[in-house]
Amino acid sequence: DAGVTQSPTHLIKTRGQQVTLRCSPKSGHDTVSWYQQALGQGPQFIFQYYEEEERQRGNFPDRFSGHQFPNYSSELNVNALLLGDSALYLCASSRRQGPQETQYFGPGTRLLVL
Amino acid sequence: RKEVEQDPGPFNVPEGATVAFNCTYSNSASQSFFWYRQDCRKEPKLLMSVYSSGNEDGRFTAQLNRASQYISLLIRDSKLSDSATYLCVVNIGWYSSASKIIFGSGTRLSIRP
């Protein structure tokens, strides 16, 4: 049973560019959440997708957008990259059950913005 | 004030010791609580959910105190493999349009032989 997978594993971009990160959820999961984790910090919640719609959103600007596909996979798009966007981007999947639903994380994509 | 706060540590304890962490939260709409562990340069992994009645899983015990708005994690008979960062997670207002999931910054634990 494949767990959560993310691609690419590493990425280097320059300021002002745009980036797309991808996530495939664990089998049987229908909900995908995205997080940004800076060095030495806990993950910061970006947003969550369920039924191809954004259901929850953290305090991130509109430069951060996403999409969920009918097969439950998801993309995170970041426009007009800033140096401060350099971080580990984590995807987590879950089966929508309510507040106690358990999230399983992928290995993340390390983004470096130069 | 951060919505979820943890002592960053590091906690440096000998193998076999008992260690406890607390995590405080400020939003009374917080509905569910979890502890995750994260090894260096790895993704977070669920350690345990935290229930109002408290729950235990082997050497690990988690408790929730809604009145004082904190959760705790107790690790007994610590092992070298317990060395990691422990993240407190709070799910706020899950049924509302303003729901969000907040991670603490984590508590670093180092177990020495």
Side-chain angles (χ1 to χ4, degrees):
Chain A
D1 176 23
V4 181
T5 60
Q6 292 186 241
S7 63
T9 56
H10 296 79
L11 204 50
I12 299 176
K13 293 284 189 179
T14 56
R15 278 180 299 175
Q17 285 190 309
Q18 178 263 343
V19 68
T20 297
L21 310 182
R22 295 177 177 82
C23 171
S24 290
K26 185 177 168 65
S27 178
H29 287 185
D30 54 11
T31 302
V32 173
S33 303
W34 286 94
Y35 295 84
Q36 179 195 68
Q37 187 173 25
L39 204 59
Q41 300 294 314
Q44 300 292 309
F45 177 65
I46 303 175
F47 41 54
Q48 182 180 81
Y49 277 84
Y50 170 67
E51 289 186 335
E52 301 179 49
E53 288 189 15
E54 185 181 292
R55 298 292 177 167
Q56 297 174 274
R57 189 177 182 96
N59 295 325
F60 279 79
D62 292 344
R63 298 187 297 110
F64 289 78
S65 63
H67 189 78
Q68 186 179 35
F69 299 94
N71 66 353
Y72 308 118
S73 66
S74 176
E75 288 182 349
L76 164 65
N77 300 292
V78 187
N79 294 323
L81 284 167
L82 304 173
L83 296 180
D85 294 332
S86 296
L88 175 66
Y89 288 84
L90 293 160
C91 167
S93 75
S94 56
R95 186 163 63 89
R96 197 156 187 84
Q97 294 176 310
Q100 286 301 137
E101 65 190 51
T102 300
Q103 296 194 328
Y104 294 83
F105 283 82
T109 293
R110 294 190 182 278
L111 172 65
L112 177 61
V113 182
L114 301 175
Chain B
R1 183 185 172 189
K2 290 183 179 179
E3 290 190 274
V4 176
E5 292 201 73
Q6 295 183 251
D7 181 341
F11 285 62
N12 189 329
V13 303
E15 199 173 4
T18 295
V19 61
F21 314 133
N22 277 349
C23 166
T24 59
Y25 61 94
S26 59
N27 194 319
S28 58
S30 300
Q31 289 179 282
S32 54
F33 310 86
F34 307 87
W35 284 104
Y36 278 74
R37 70 169 278 167
Q38 187 172 27
D39 295 292
C40 189
R41 300 185 69 80
K42 297 286 190 181
E43 72 273 22
K45 292 188 190 298
L46 178 70
L47 183 63
M48 56 200 308
S49 303
V50 187
Y51 302 112
S52 297
S53 54
N55 46 304
E56 187 173 311
D57 182 3
R59 299 181 293 108
F60 299 84
T61 301
Q63 293 198 311
L64 166 63
N65 185 318
R66 285 193 184 272
S68 300
Q69 297 192 180
Y70 75 86
I71 66 172
S72 63
L73 178 68
L74 180 79
I75 306 175
R76 291 181 299 277
D77 188 25
S78 53
K79 312 290 184 192
L80 295 176
S81 58
D82 294 334
S83 296
T85 296
Y86 289 83
L87 298 162
C88 165
V89 183
V90 176
N91 195 327
I92 300 172
W94 196 88
Y95 296 104
S96 79
S97 60
S99 62
K100 50 189 175 179
I101 302 166
I102 308 290
F103 274 72
S105 296
T107 297
R108 282 177 47 212
L109 173 64
S110 178
I111 307 297
R112 62 179 189 270

